[in-house]
Amino acid sequence: MIIEQIYTGCLAQGAYYIESNGEVAIIDPLREVQVYIDKAAKNNAKIKYIFETHFHADFVSGHVTLAEKTDAKIVFGPSAKTNFDSIIAEDNQVFKVGDISITLLHTPGHTMESSCYLLKDKNGTNHAIFSGDTLFLGDVGRPDLAQKGDLTQEDLAGYLFDSLRNKVMPLADNVIVYPAHGAGSACGKNLSKETVGTIGEQKKTNYALRADMSKEEFIKEVTDGLLPPPAYFPLNVKLNKEGYKDIDDVIENSTKPLSVKEFEIVANGTNAIILDVRHQTEFIKGFIPQSIFIGVDGGFAPWVGALIKDIKQPILLVCESGREEEVITRLSRVGFDNVIGYLEGSFNAWKKADKEIDTLESISADTLEEKIKLDVPVFDVRKPGEFASDHIKVAESTPLDFLNSHISEFPKKGNFYVHCAGGYRSVIAASILKARGFHNVIDVAGGYAAIRKTNIERTAAVCPSTLK
């Protein structure tokens, strides 16, 4: 028996490859599926099932493409409805994979079709549970994403409580837990950085699995402090329910080199966003005016989804030469299939053509320490929880996720300063503000990590896990 977790850090997402005696099951595959096909072929095995824990919401799964390429059967939990062939399994339905079996456990709550998959070894012993967004390490799935009709987030939280108590917590302590997400996912609020655990560990450490917890306490605690989900979540759900283009076609259609002249014509003649994905240090030194920076080497795809919102938005890329296909692939993981071309020769070609450029002023934390004595405005674009745990006393909280809601708070005259934790999100925020006409924005390089090393007056630190 082989169990391999294929973890994609930039999405905080875990897919799983399971093989036994020449047969393979894939759980929650990424949209680009060749890696699973190659792995099975290398082992002379056949992919038999594609198990989906739920309609995901925060990325486009590869189930449809993988089924088309392998003839494997797609399996969803009870109540799921799809526009493609799939097995809508019953609770406790058993699927044989080589010498092992995988049992679907219907665990509604995060969404109504949410299901876990319990793997029994060749001796029939419970070995591992693939817990989807029902159980994370340190948290459980948020219950507010699938509210429909009269079904409230409190109703869904009640279902989740019952699912955990009746289906998951009775499992033996040594059963391994393989969740769908880790820290960084917006599908929970307190996810661990670990990606593999056990039922016993979670019973001891996960606040939502406290033995003496009432249903009312559970509902209150899991619904407390939830932030609005990213706008692209429901659009990804729609793709996962209805199907989507093969990623190979997306890559072929999107990987179009454009000369400087062609790029400029397309940019001026369409409503395309110019998305610059180079490193922030390169972006700061020069970029095409009106560009939005979201660096591919940061939390790229989720930030694209959170900030661009419309997955059909035409996009023109500026990226490091040779990384175009990678960037297009990573955009497609969250449903952004409408890249209409990239700047051939990257930003250097634009500069050599003597086209207009813009720059972003960036200062050190030490310089900010001097500036802040002059009572300058400072804006913190970290998440609300990060701000609540520790921040510059005079700073305003303007989280990047909700920057549009704070636009009116930024000064139109006189310089102001933005920082995040390490210098990535602040450059994203500054690029958006510049595109909106705020050319008086100044980035603080190194973010709060660098600010902590100065004498800038800060609030007393509070452990994030103690914050509601």
Side-chain angles (χ1 to χ4, degrees):
M1 177 174 65
I2 298 171
I3 301 176
E4 185 175 346
Q5 181 184 63
I6 303 171
Y7 199 79
T8 304
C10 67
L11 285 177
Q13 190 267 343
Y16 296 93
Y17 176 96
I18 302 162
E19 182 186 318
S20 174
N21 198 21
E23 293 186 335
V24 172
I26 306 291
I27 297 181
D28 292 343
L30 279 184
R31 189 167 177 184
E32 68 270 31
V33 299
Q34 196 59 43
V35 62
Y36 315 116
I37 296 170
D38 291 346
K39 196 177 291 292
K42 183 180 176 183
N43 295 350
N44 197 28
K46 177 176 175 54
I47 299 176
K48 185 176 184 182
Y49 292 115
I50 304 158
F51 293 109
E52 295 284 286
T53 56
H54 63 304
F55 285 119
H56 298 287
D58 51 349
F59 70 103
V60 181
S61 175
H63 54 306
V64 175
T65 304
L66 187 57
E68 289 173 352
K69 290 179 182 291
T70 66
D71 291 330
K73 301 298 183 187
I74 301 169
V75 180
F76 276 97
S79 80
K81 294 179 181 176
T82 67
N83 285 9
F84 43 82
D85 287 341
S86 60
I87 298 172
I88 306 303
E90 298 176 356
D91 189 22
N92 289 315
Q93 188 166 337
V94 178
F95 298 85
K96 291 291 291 182
V97 179
D99 296 330
I100 64 173
S101 70
I102 294 176
T103 302
L104 183 145
L105 302 179
H106 186 212
T107 52
H110 174 62
T111 62
M112 287 308 289
E113 83 286 356
S114 277
S115 297
C116 299
Y117 293 96
L118 179 63
L119 186 153
K120 295 176 185 281
D121 65 19
K122 64 181 180 181
N123 300 316
T125 302
N126 292 339
H127 178 79
I129 185 168
F130 300 87
S131 58
D133 284 20
T134 296
L135 174 65
F136 299 127
L137 304 183
D139 205 348
V140 293
R142 55 189 296 174
D144 60 319
L145 300 180
Q147 300 175 69
K148 291 179 181 175
D150 295 332
L151 205 56
T152 67
Q153 64 179 16
E154 286 75 19
D155 294 331
L156 286 160
Y159 279 113
L160 185 57
F161 178 86
D162 293 337
S163 293
L164 289 163
R165 259 60 186 177
N166 298 330
K167 301 287 183 66
V168 177
M169 292 177 69
L171 297 171
D173 285 354
N174 64 350
V175 171
I176 300 168
V177 177
Y178 290 111
H181 299 294
S185 168
C187 276
K189 56 186 180 183
N190 191 35
L191 281 68
S192 167
K193 291 180 180 175
E194 302 299 322
T195 61
V196 180
T198 65
I199 291 290
E201 290 168 359
Q202 288 309 298
K203 286 179 182 174
K204 290 178 182 175
T205 60
N206 191 323
Y207 77 97
L209 302 191
R210 289 199 311 271
D212 61 349
M213 195 177 209
S214 69
K215 180 183 272 192
E216 289 71 26
E217 289 172 330
F218 178 89
I219 292 171
K220 183 176 185 301
E221 292 187 36
V222 300
T223 57
D224 185 45
L226 290 174
L227 297 173
Y232 76 101
F233 270 30
L235 302 176
N236 279 193
V237 172
K238 182 176 169 66
L239 290 173
N240 287 332
K241 283 182 177 177
E242 298 179 357
Y244 44 79
K245 296 178 190 172
D246 188 311
I247 193 169
D248 292 338
D249 294 334
V250 174
I251 292 171
E252 183 179 347
N253 293 334
S254 297
T255 314
K256 290 181 181 172
L258 299 172
S259 67
V260 170
K261 185 177 180 180
E262 291 168 331
F263 191 92
E264 191 173 32
I265 290 172
V266 175
N268 290 332
T270 68
N271 64 343
I273 286 177
I274 300 175
L275 181 62
D276 193 321
V277 304
R278 297 172 297 150
H279 194 274
Q280 60 263 32
T281 55
E282 294 301 313
F283 181 84
I284 285 169
K285 289 186 282 189
F287 55 89
I288 299 172
Q290 303 292 310
S291 298
I292 300 300
F293 163 79
I294 304 179
V296 72
D297 291 324
F300 176 62
W303 280 121
V304 169
L307 296 171
I308 296 180
K309 302 182 188 303
D310 181 3
I311 60 174
K312 294 181 180 177
Q313 168 66 49
I315 293 172
L316 284 165
L317 282 181
V318 178
C319 65
E320 185 182 333
S321 295
R323 299 189 69 180
E324 298 86 4
E325 184 172 323
E326 175 195 350
V327 174
I328 291 164
T329 299
R330 291 173 66 176
L331 286 169
S332 72
R333 288 175 180 166
V334 285
F336 288 80
D337 294 347
N338 204 12
V339 173
I340 57 177
Y342 67 89
L343 179 59
E344 189 171 28
S346 192
F347 184 68
N348 283 337
W350 188 268
K351 276 178 66 178
K352 285 180 182 175
D354 203 25
K355 295 293 182 182
E356 181 184 359
I357 69 167
D358 201 351
T359 59
L360 173 63
E361 186 176 354
S362 184
I363 63 167
S364 68
D366 289 334
T367 303
L368 179 66
E369 185 176 348
E370 295 303 314
K371 298 285 185 185
I372 216 165
K373 294 173 184 172
L374 304 175
D375 198 24
V376 296
V378 180
F379 295 89
D380 185 335
V381 299
R382 297 177 300 162
K383 291 183 181 295
E386 293 173 278
F387 183 84
S389 67
D390 188 6
H391 61 265
I392 294 175
K393 275 198 169 179
V394 299
E396 299 289 334
S397 176
T398 53
L400 177 59
D401 309 58
F402 315 110
L403 198 69
N404 286 335
S405 303
H406 296 279
I407 290 294
S408 63
E409 298 167 29
F410 296 101
K412 293 181 179 174
K413 294 182 179 177
N415 290 338
F416 65 91
Y417 301 81
V418 295
H419 79 82
C420 59
Y424 175 76
R425 285 174 287 178
S426 61
V427 177
I428 296 175
S431 73
I432 294 171
L433 290 168
K434 271 194 151 267
R436 302 256 176 116
F438 290 91
H439 295 288
N440 47 339
V441 59
I442 297 175
D443 169 66
V444 180
Y448 207 68
I451 289 168
R452 280 199 180 100
K453 297 174 184 175
T454 70
N455 292 315
I456 294 174
E457 193 173 10
R458 297 178 288 121
T459 59
V462 179
C463 178
S465 63
T466 65
L467 294 169
K468 293 289 185 182

